[in-house]
Amino acid sequence: MKLLDGKLVADQIKSEIAAEVKDHFKDKGLEPPHLAAVLVGEDPASQTYVAAKEKACREVGFTSSVYRYPENITREKLLEVVDFLNADDEINGFIVQLPLPAQINEHEIIERIDPAKDVDGFHPVNIGKMVLNLPCYLPATPFGIITLLERYNIETAGKNIVVLGRSHIVGTPVSILLSRKSNPGNATVTLCHSFSKDIHAITAQADILIVAMGKEGFVKADMVKQDAVVVDVGVHRVPSVDTKSGFRLKGDVDFERVSRKCSYITPVPGGVGPMTIVSLLRNTLRAAKKEVI
Ligand code: GUN
């Protein structure tokens, strides 16, 4: 078994981005790329993600800013914030961290984002362009997953790829990306969800298994074909006596047993997570270079 080391690849890509920031912006006297994030409420996972995005921006020389609002923000105020960020020429791209509080309709907020600044790739215009294989921002986690497969020279053409979970952020877009006529892509993709029958029989056929269902340790060794490639998108905090913080991160895959059977596997942490963040940086770089829309 070999690790798909997302941390290592993400660090390489960050160095490439930092070099571009220097060559294309700083050395020419131009402002570096600027990513903004909107963070509503106190959700601990969202705070961790946004802090990680800010740190990554600092590491590559981007400017970053965070717009924080209380849980009880109104729909009108949040739409105003999006309008402000759309209009601000100093901000190249921005994200609205999800989930949003219950009183806010996520779709309405996302649809208000200028697609040219939608570096999360969540706007229906960007998703539509992704489906049609047109230039667009790819959602960060799917983009990170295909980049990781690419950098490890894992062939996807003609392979059976099974995706577990059909979220709008991961499962649905990654299944589309990998079935597109492109490289990576050209795979036969099966998307499983809560209504799928006999998931074990389906996953056992997978050359590449991508797990994004949000159930800790769901994928066991008997569900995985010998020498399959396994990509684990799950992130769960579980109590641990071995760490200072009192918890550690685990994925949707039973890593200990599954790793003995597969050819490649992503660790949690250090697999898909760092690739997601670096993909957001890549989208922001493209936004700043006006490469997309
Ligand atoms: N919540 C979980 N993942 C993401 C992401 O990639 N972007 C945003 N905006 N919110 C998220």
Side-chain angles (χ1 to χ4, degrees), residues 38 46 49 53 95-99 120 122 139-141 169-170 276:
V38 178
S46 291
Y49 291 142
K53 290 166 189 176
I95 65 157
V96 177
Q97 186 65 34
L98 304 178
D120 250 337
F122 290 170
T141 301
I169 294 180
V170 186
T276 296

Side-chain angles (χ1 to χ4, degrees), residues 255-291:
F255 182 88
E256 210 177 290
R257 295 183 183 84
V258 171
S259 61
R260 291 192 208 124
K261 199 170 178 186
C262 55
S263 58
Y264 289 93
I265 187 168
T266 56
V268 177
V272 173
M275 292 303 299
T276 296
I277 290 179
V278 90
S279 299
L280 178 65
L281 299 179
R282 288 175 86 183
N283 283 345
T284 306
L285 182 65
R286 293 175 74 208
K289 290 166 92 178
K290 308 266 181 284
E291 277 181 5

Side-chain angles (χ1 to χ4, degrees), residues 216-279:
E216 197 244 302
F218 178 86
V219 172
K220 311 280 188 225
D222 63 355
M223 297 170 66
V224 177
K225 185 163 95 168
Q226 186 69 41
D227 297 326
V229 175
V230 178
V231 176
D232 188 352
V233 187
V235 188
H236 309 273
R237 269 179 179 222
V238 299
S240 169
V241 290
D242 301 330
T243 60
K244 254 195 335 224
S245 60
F247 71 87
R248 65 190 184 108
L249 295 181
K250 295 192 85 173
D252 286 357
V253 175
D254 177 357
F255 182 88
E256 210 177 290
R257 295 183 183 84
V258 171
S259 61
R260 291 192 208 124
K261 199 170 178 186
C262 55
S263 58
Y264 289 93
I265 187 168
T266 56
V268 177
V272 173
M275 292 303 299
T276 296
I277 290 179
V278 90
S279 299

Side-chain angles (χ1 to χ4, degrees), residues 3 16 26 37 60 76-77 83 106 115 130 152 179 191 198 204 208 215 232 238 248 253 257-258 269 271 276 291:
L3 277 187
E16 294 161 18
K26 295 191 173 164
V60 298
E76 289 74 18
K77 174 67 191 171
D83 289 342
E106 268 176 21
M130 175 188 71
Y152 276 88
S179 57
L191 178 58
D198 201 3
I208 301 174
K215 287 190 186 164
D232 188 352
V238 299
R248 65 190 184 108
V253 175
R257 295 183 183 84
V258 171
T276 296
E291 277 181 5

